[in-house]
Amino acid sequence: MIKVHPQYVVDERQQRTAVLLPLAEWEQILDYLEELDDIHAYDEAKTGSQEIMPFEQAVREIDEGSES
């Protein structure tokens, strides 16, 4: 679990409007979110259609997509 030490920005009615975090903690949160995104993408891929294609075709399609 990521330990965070938030500081809050409040308005004139003392309502919280924003959060400040040390940069290192923010970067840990971003890394964690990227990992969760990867897990989600993997889970979606596993439940999606299982179309199989030759490796060479997959590389060619990736290369063609990066040219646009």
Side-chain angles (χ1 to χ4, degrees), residues 8-17:
Y8 300 98
V9 177
V10 296
D11 63 15
E12 59 278 349
R13 290 187 268 153
Q14 300 302 305
Q15 298 294 311
R16 294 177 180 172
T17 60

Side-chain angles (χ1 to χ4, degrees), residues 40-65:
H40 180 70
Y42 174 81
D43 289 344
E44 277 189 12
K46 291 295 282 181
T47 59
S49 68
Q50 299 296 320
E51 179 184 335
I52 297 173
M53 71 173 65
F55 176 76
E56 293 79 13
Q57 179 184 350
V59 170
R60 186 172 51 254
E61 288 183 15
I62 291 169
D63 287 342
E64 290 171 358

